[in-house]
Amino acid sequence: MQQATSDHRLYGADFVRAAACIMVVAHHVAQRASPIALGPTGASAAMWVMMGAFGVSAFFVLSGYLLARPFWVAFDRGEPMPSLRTYALRRAARILPAYWLVMTITFLASVLFLGAYLERTLVLRFVAGLLLVNDWHWLTFFPVEFNGPLWSIGFEITSYVLLPLCLMLIFVARPWLSGGMARLFWTGIILALIGAQWAIMTYVHIDPLGRSWNYGLVGGAKFWMPRFNPIGFFSIFAIGALAAGVQVRLASFRSPVFDLLALGGLSLAAWSITQHIGESEGFGLNGVPYGFPWFPIGVALILLCTPSSLWIKRLSESVPVSFVARISFGIYVWHFFLMEIVRVRSVPDYVYGGMNDAAQWAWISGGVVAASVVIATLSYYLFEEPIIRWARGLEPRQPRPAAELTVPSG
């Protein structure tokens, strides 16, 4: 194993972000094809593709990894905790403008030409989404109709809030914690979160009336909760944060051992998916979704080891991967809304398992994906990136340590 200080890029992050985005979009596209239309082989492949819902978990691991890293760097250097003002400003600038925009457009479109009835509950859900608290109750879980994936943004915002609060405990205890003990302390926090998830599953009960996807998004939210809850998702996020803490300690090393470990992480994530074929939520330990804890641990290993690898890191970065990673948030928040517009306004059969014509399903889905990429590209370069640059201008100027790895934006 050798030390290296000349390459400062945080390899692997773009790959995980792009892969997670593609997985989620593929999951939603595959849902709309009828198994009969695809035939036995196609239907079997579609079942695998539908497991792309696990990409949501990969997004949470990645966010925890990227956002916790500056805190671990500061801890190990004996520096004060990074500015929470800067932290909040960066998160708000990256997520909120695009999220609020697409949610508002979806809400207005749902009422004006997609057939949603403007009533008190619909407004309440929208307001909860605007206030970033939709994740705390089944009624507001989905902030709008016709754009289901927006549910996860509230969960991510809650994780953004909980991360520095939990890391603050480590900074407070720094006089008594070595670097290794701090990572062990964070492992204890993850175990405490798992215990909290157990308590939620044991003592929180959801009214069974209307608890089914047959009752629309609200019924689906009742079906998912309490297994889907902010604490469970923060435990996924926290695994990424732990990976960041370990990666900071290993950042200067390069060895083929890390190539093997990164491949091991990929294998573990893939194995976890195979254990849940046919159940895209993949409820794991204590009901935490998406193959918890093995799938997030596998993704965390990829993120932890790829920067120190010799060969895998080169394969994880390319122009297409970096491009998809850059616009991934826009693809995520727009693609399902476009699918629903097609369904409501043009092709009623474009529903879950409804497309019996495989060719029609393929060209419609391809068109939706292409339109999503175009809109996401325009959104990033004309809307999101200018806001990010403007927000960075509000931050206090500080010298950047030369040894710190470059973290991709997102």
Side-chain angles (χ1 to χ4, degrees), residues 76-402:
D76 288 347
R77 291 176 177 167
E79 298 171 354
M81 188 170 174
S83 167
L84 295 185
R85 178 181 178 274
T86 298
Y87 172 87
L89 183 63
R90 289 185 178 184
R91 289 299 87 211
R94 184 64 190 92
I95 297 296
L96 297 186
Y99 168 57
W100 280 335
L101 175 64
V102 71
M103 185 170 60
T104 301
I105 290 175
T106 303
F107 176 77
L108 294 175
S110 69
V111 174
L112 295 177
F113 68 92
L114 293 179
Y117 178 66
L118 183 60
E119 42 84 30
R120 184 178 62 87
T121 299
L122 192 68
V123 174
L124 176 63
R125 290 162 56 189
F126 176 65
V127 171
L130 287 177
L131 298 177
L132 312 174
V133 294
N134 63 287
D135 52 323
W136 292 97
H137 195 274
W138 55 263
L139 182 61
T140 58
F141 187 101
F142 291 99
V144 289
E145 293 288 323
F146 305 109
N147 203 341
L150 296 188
W151 68 265
S152 67
I153 307 301
F155 284 77
E156 187 137 356
I157 295 296
T158 296
S159 291
Y160 292 167
V161 173
L162 293 177
L163 178 69
L165 293 179
C166 291
L167 284 168
M168 193 179 298
L169 298 176
I170 293 177
F171 277 83
V172 170
R174 182 160 53 185
W176 304 280
L177 291 178
S178 64
M181 286 300 296
R183 275 70 175 176
L184 188 61
F185 185 92
W186 188 259
T187 303
I189 289 177
I190 295 175
L191 294 176
L193 292 168
I194 292 174
Q197 174 73 10
W198 173 85
I200 291 170
M201 291 297 298
T202 302
Y203 298 109
V204 175
H205 303 287
I206 304 296
D207 177 12
L209 182 64
R211 193 182 184 193
S212 166
W213 287 106
N214 294 328
Y215 294 92
L217 290 182
V218 173
K222 293 184 76 172
F223 174 76
W224 272 357
M225 295 187 90
R227 289 174 291 188
F228 279 60
N229 69 76
I231 300 303
F233 274 88
F234 182 59
S235 65
I236 300 173
F237 201 90
I239 288 177
L242 178 60
V246 177
Q247 191 277 328
V248 165
R249 304 285 284 191
L250 301 175
S252 62
F253 291 97
R254 302 291 181 268
S255 169
V257 172
F258 292 103
D259 291 84
L260 295 176
L261 290 173
L263 289 174
L266 182 62
S267 299
L268 179 59
W271 171 83
S272 176
I273 291 176
T274 66
Q275 303 308 298
H276 298 279
I277 294 294
E279 44 170 307
S280 58
E281 293 92 348
F283 296 117
L285 178 64
N286 291 335
V288 178
Y290 307 128
F292 184 86
W294 303 116
F295 181 81
I297 289 175
V299 176
L301 276 173
I302 296 171
L303 292 168
L304 189 163
C305 297
T306 301
S308 294
S309 66
L310 297 184
W311 301 292
I312 294 296
K313 67 181 181 181
R314 299 300 178 185
L315 299 175
S316 71
E317 305 293 326
S318 67
V319 172
V321 167
S322 297
F323 175 71
V324 173
R326 190 174 302 115
I327 66 170
S328 60
F329 184 70
I331 295 175
Y332 183 84
V333 298
W334 282 105
H335 78 278
F336 199 86
F337 177 51
L338 298 181
M339 294 173 71
E340 288 292 87
I341 290 177
V342 171
R343 176 184 69 83
V344 175
R345 303 299 298 181
S346 180
V347 187
D349 290 339
Y350 198 57
V351 295
Y352 193 104
M355 293 296 294
N356 291 314
D357 186 330
Q360 185 186 33
W361 164 77
W363 72 257
I364 290 176
S365 299
V368 166
V369 172
S372 301
V373 170
V374 171
I375 293 174
T377 302
L378 294 174
S379 174
Y380 181 79
Y381 287 105
L382 301 181
F383 183 65
E384 298 167 48
E385 188 180 42
I387 292 175
I388 294 170
R389 288 200 306 264
W390 171 78
R392 288 294 176 95
L394 300 178
E395 298 175 13
R397 295 300 176 189
Q398 296 178 344
R400 181 180 178 182

